[in-house]
Amino acid sequence: PGDGLLNYSGKCKHPCLFSPFFRADIALIGLAVMGQNLILNMNDHGFVVCAFNRTVSKVDDFMANEAKGTKVIGAHSLEEMVSKLKKPRKIILLVKAGSAVDDFISKLVPLLSAGDIIIDGGNSEYRDSTRRCKELKEKDILFVGSGVSGGEEGARYGPSLMPGGAKEAWPHIKPIFQSIAAKVGTGEPCCDWVGDEGSGHFVKMVHNGIEYGDMQLICEAYHLMKDVLGMDHDEMATVFEQWNKTELDSFLIEITANILKYRDADGKHLLPKIRDSAWQKGTGKWTAISALEYGVPVTLIGEAVFARCLSSLKDERVKACKLLSGPNAAKFSGNKAAFLEDIRKALYASKIISYTQGFMLLRQAAKEFGWTLNYGAIALMWRGGCIIRSVFLGKIKEAFDRSPDLQNLLLDNFFKTAVENCQESWRRAISTGVQIGIPMPCFTTALSFYDGYRHDTLPANLIQAQRDYFGAHTYELLSKPGEFIHTNWTGHGGSVSSSSYNA
Ligand SMILES: *[C@@H]1O[C@H](CO)[C@@H](O)[C@H](O)[C@H]1NC(C)=O
Ligand SMILES: *[C@@H]1O[C@H](CO)[C@@H](O)[C@H](O)[C@H]1NC(C)=O
Ligand SMILES: *[C@@H]1O[C@H](CO)[C@@H](O)[C@H](O)[C@H]1NC(C)=O
């Protein structure tokens, strides 16, 4: 590969090698830090990148500084940029999500020819990507919406890349994408083809939702250590360092250990000084909204979003704290080491539930939109490079390798056994926390999901009866599924079932 001008057998790839035109393998529009880093990453891997920014002076700045001494080519207009690209042309947009993407697409289309590829690597909403994919298909342009995760550092040295859209584009961008992506294990790239239309951005959205869940789960473990066991920050840091050597080995556990240890300029721990009111940019919320929209019980991410909302009511909580009491005689009297292991297992089991739910949402979206998704590949894409990267995701990949049609992660033998091994601890951690009055929205919702999923009979028969009682909504009998029955419960009900309203 080397300089991007030779193919893998070392032969000249292009007849116009020495032409002043057709010199770049790919173009990138949008020279904010992510864009710059992605360009430098591609350059490091031997690809010639053409850089463009709407504010043209940014191009000159970049060429004179960060890109100095590289093979990056600067362009001062979209026309110039397009003229420098090999065919099929490949153009990455890394601009603000929303109308800026549409603006650039409409300016680019007249300059492109059939088979050229536009890749949106921004944080676009998946429905926008689906729309763009369809609109551009009519113009014979291949659109790819790619999730990019890993922040500035990831973009520079190996992001997780989640491309989806027009599949004909994949063979053309695959060598570039897979070489710049993070690598795990024996060099497997954290980038593969996700699926059709907006699925790349959908998968990125679910990644972010899972990230909200993982973060909240760690917070609940921290809360239990701090307020049930009364541990100090250095001690908690040591525990997280130990956990990082178990099934929980992951980026978020690792940074949590580092955060707990961190001391401010005054020598005191920084963490307890930080205002406990969490902000959000909305991707967790969008995952929860999709879950509601497609009827999938992604309860843990929902609770993680709500936990941030509750935390942000700081002033109100400070007032409520003076008025509302917790349980009496709330003191822990068990074995500390044993309880720490209970917390660790509660975290692990809850995490399994969260990923189970996330993959349920992916599966339902695939059904909804007619996408073919490669679930094992998605797990591998998240295995490295991104915020939720962990050894655990390798286990999910293995589960889908064993059984590509796996309906639910909990039905895989590895995860079934893992949850079973945790369950006594999980229940103990939660009941102790509840007794002492510690909020654990994600630990508890995860356990409720597990208990709900494993029950063949739930009390929803009563819901059906209630609906029929007050609204004549009808129900089915266990013995006669498919037959809709209305009962005259009160003796003054009508015989007509309701179709005019639903409750
Ligand atoms: C141009 O570069 C600046 C950063 O230098 C960035 O904020 C902006 O999004 C870029 N815009 C476009 C459209 O290229
Ligand atoms: C966590 O584990 C990884 C290896 O899996 C290691 O690279 C990292 O340094 C560990 N972090 C901490 C804080 O122990
Ligand atoms: C409902 O039951 C009452 C009392 O048994 C009866 O008078 C009434 O006719 C029933 N209604 C219908 C629609 O069957």
Side-chain angles (χ1 to χ4, degrees), residues 259-317:
I259 289 167
L260 282 160
K261 269 191 296 207
Y262 191 90
R263 284 168 193 270
D264 211 355
D266 61 5
K268 300 212 173 79
H269 287 107
L270 175 58
L271 184 58
K273 298 184 192 175
I274 294 176
R275 192 167 188 264
D276 52 321
S277 167
W279 301 343
Q280 44 183 322
K281 290 209 308 204
T283 39
K285 179 177 86 181
W286 284 110
T287 311
I289 290 173
S290 298
L292 288 169
E293 201 167 346
Y294 308 128
V296 188
V298 187
T299 61
L300 195 144
I301 295 173
E303 287 291 353
V305 174
F306 288 134
R308 290 198 190 188
C309 300
L310 180 59
S311 82
S312 73
L313 304 177
K314 172 75 174 173
D315 296 338
E316 218 174 309
R317 287 188 290 111

Side-chain angles (χ1 to χ4, degrees), residues 241 244 249 254 258:
E241 271 168 15
N244 185 46
D249 181 341
E254 177 181 350
N258 295 337

Side-chain angles (χ1 to χ4, degrees), residues 320-488:
C321 178
K322 300 191 180 88
L323 294 170
L324 306 177
S325 62
N328 290 323
K331 203 100 191 93
F332 177 74
S333 58
N335 177 294
K336 182 173 160 186
F339 190 60
L340 274 173
E341 185 60 3
D342 286 347
I343 302 173
R344 189 185 71 82
K345 287 185 170 170
L347 174 46
Y348 182 44
S350 303
K351 182 165 166 148
I352 292 174
I353 299 301
S354 180
Y355 285 68
T356 296
Q357 295 180 343
F359 277 90
M360 287 168 73
L361 177 57
L362 291 177
R363 187 172 255 278
Q364 187 58 33
K367 203 164 148 192
E368 204 80 34
F369 300 116
W371 296 340
T372 304
L373 298 183
N374 181 351
Y375 302 101
I378 293 168
L380 181 60
M381 282 177 250
W382 294 345
R383 169 74 187 80
C386 58
I387 304 297
I388 65 169
R389 64 182 181 259
S390 65
V391 169
F392 173 74
L393 276 155
K395 296 292 178 193
I396 298 182
K397 165 84 166 64
E398 287 167 22
F400 284 110
D401 285 348
R402 276 190 290 277
S403 163
D405 294 323
L406 185 64
Q407 192 185 9
N408 188 294
L409 266 189
L410 288 175
L411 303 178
D412 173 76
N413 209 39
F414 175 85
F415 288 106
K416 167 183 138 55
T417 312
V419 171
E420 281 167 358
N421 289 341
C422 289
Q423 93 163 284
E424 296 305 323
S425 280
W426 191 13
R427 291 179 195 280
R428 263 196 309 271
I430 287 176
S431 46
T432 305
V434 167
Q435 292 293 328
I436 296 182
I438 307 295
M440 299 162 292
C442 287
F443 279 6
T444 52
T445 198
L447 184 56
S448 290
F449 175 90
Y450 179 68
D451 283 335
Y453 190 69
R454 66 179 187 81
H455 264 76
D456 68 349
T457 303
L458 287 171
N461 49 337
L462 178 54
I463 289 178
Q464 286 298 82
Q466 289 164 334
R467 295 176 73 246
D468 190 56
Y469 186 109
F470 66 68
H473 293 301
T474 75
Y475 57 86
E476 292 165 285
L477 286 172
L478 286 167
S479 59
K480 293 180 185 163
E483 203 174 296
F484 303 101
I485 298 163
H486 170 55
T487 290
N488 183 352

Side-chain angles (χ1 to χ4, degrees), residues 237 240-245 249-251 253-258 261 383 391:
F240 277 100
E241 271 168 15
Q242 285 159 0
W243 288 5
N244 185 46
K245 298 187 182 87
D249 181 341
S250 62
F251 173 70
I253 293 285
E254 177 181 350
I255 68 164
T256 301
N258 295 337
K261 269 191 296 207
R383 169 74 187 80
V391 169

